Amino acid sequence: MIRLTRPSIEADDLEAVRAVLLSGQLVQGPAVIAFENAIAKAVDVAHAVVVTNCTAALQMALLALDVRAGDIVVVTAYSWPTTANVIELCGAQPVFVDVDPATGNMSPTALEATLSRLSQTPSTAQRLKAIVPVHTFGQLCDMSALIEIATRFGVPVVEDAACALGAKHGSRSAGAWGVMGCFSFHPRKAVTTGEGGAIVTNDPALARWLRASRNHGQDAEFVGTDPFVMPSFNNRMTEFQGALGVTQMQKLDRVLAARRALAARYDATLSSVLQRTASASVGEQHVYQSYVVLLPTEIALQRVDLIRTLRESGVEAQIGTWHMPLITYYRTRYGFRVGDFPACDLFAARALTLPLYEGMTNDEQDQVVSAVHAAVGVATTVAR
Ligand SMILES: Cc1ncc(COP(=O)(O)O)c(C=O)c1O
């Protein structure tokens, strides 16, 4: 089976983990600090705080902005459910925003309309605490537009950059646009620590709060004998994951270059049957956490069969990600229906993820391309 993804784990990664395991210091040591420094350098921000996973990172980022019961957080409609779940876990309410039909990222026009609506009524305006866009599949949102709108309405932006380490527009990286940016190091990402996450920020006060938050509420800069300044989590990353993170970060540019080359090869060989999710705009560097194409609308209804056919041909395929307002919890709790987020309806129904990983050979990719051409051909015949 050609898998959707395979992490790039090599001898130096194994050696780094082994050295930490043999050192006797498994938590709170120099490896995590070195990993944080590597992330901060790559994203070009002042502070990186690594944690257990990106879900923890997002929840902590919202708590750092004092998001609490009764508040509102504006969030894109199309993402892995965690992006909305962390808002609910703070006791707040997610207000979903429709997506750009070409990219699946938060639509600036829809954001503007949502913020205008919420700002009109004092009761909702006062509860509006944050905006969470997602760089879907490693493609940067239109951050210039989103930040301009957010600034005009005075609402801070937390970037869900789980999939977008290394993505840039011009020289500015994913994660460096909002007040905080959150990354994931799950094995489906370009570099991995098994499970893992990070929050980046240029704000020293937020960084200090986040470091205390991940460590039982202990403020490292507290003067006195008792540093427990707030109730909080243990969201610390282990030293052996930190060491793995350091060796993985050394491969980041190489891994991204390989993924981009493979994506370009897919573009060239699949464009006759499938639509790319978006054309990268000038100056934008997509990192292809996933290679996602849009099925023609006439065969989107057969996506389950098409994925099964691909698997039978030895190719693992998957949907894109989730239409969050329509998953069981949010549909039931808030009564969302098809038609409430029309661009997301269409994008989510048509998206198909194909295998992509650094070590993928041209032969493997050719096998995927042939299987896709055959499966789409069958689906098109059935649709007629
Ligand atoms: C957009 C997005 N946000 C958040 C997460 C959660 O990341 P983690 O699995 O590290 O908690 C994911 C996971 O894939 C994701 O795709």
Side-chain angles (χ1 to χ4, degrees), residues 76-79 97-107 134-137 139 141 277-278 294 321 343-344 347-348:
T76 192
Y78 187 57
S79 184
V97 170
D98 207 357
V99 300
D100 176 306
T103 61
N105 283 335
M106 182 185 270
S107 152
V134 175
H135 305 305
T136 315
F137 311 132
Q139 162 112 306
C141 296
T277 52
L294 296 177
T321 189
C344 191
F347 197 98

Side-chain angles (χ1 to χ4, degrees), residues 273 295-303 350 376 379-380 382-384:
V273 286
L295 294 169
T297 36
E298 65 273 17
I299 63 168
L301 278 176
Q302 297 171 56
R303 187 173 56 174
R350 295 175 62 199
V376 169
T380 309
V382 172
R384 284 187 187 129

Side-chain angles (χ1 to χ4, degrees), residues 14-26 239-240 243:
L14 300 178
E15 187 41 48
V17 172
R18 183 184 144 83
V20 171
L21 291 176
L22 292 174
S23 77
Q25 181 164 16
L26 304 191
E239 276 290 279
F240 42 97

Side-chain angles (χ1 to χ4, degrees), residues 78 112 202 273 279 293 309:
Y78 187 57
E112 170 108 41
N202 281 314
V273 286
S279 46
V293 284
T309 309

Side-chain angles (χ1 to χ4, degrees), residues 53-55 58 79-80 82-83 134 160 162-163 184 186 189 195-196:
N53 53 59
C54 186
T55 302
L58 286 163
S79 184
W80 181 249
T82 229
T83 314
V134 175
D160 182 341
C163 305
S184 173
H186 178 272
K189 312 302 186 273
E195 300 284 0

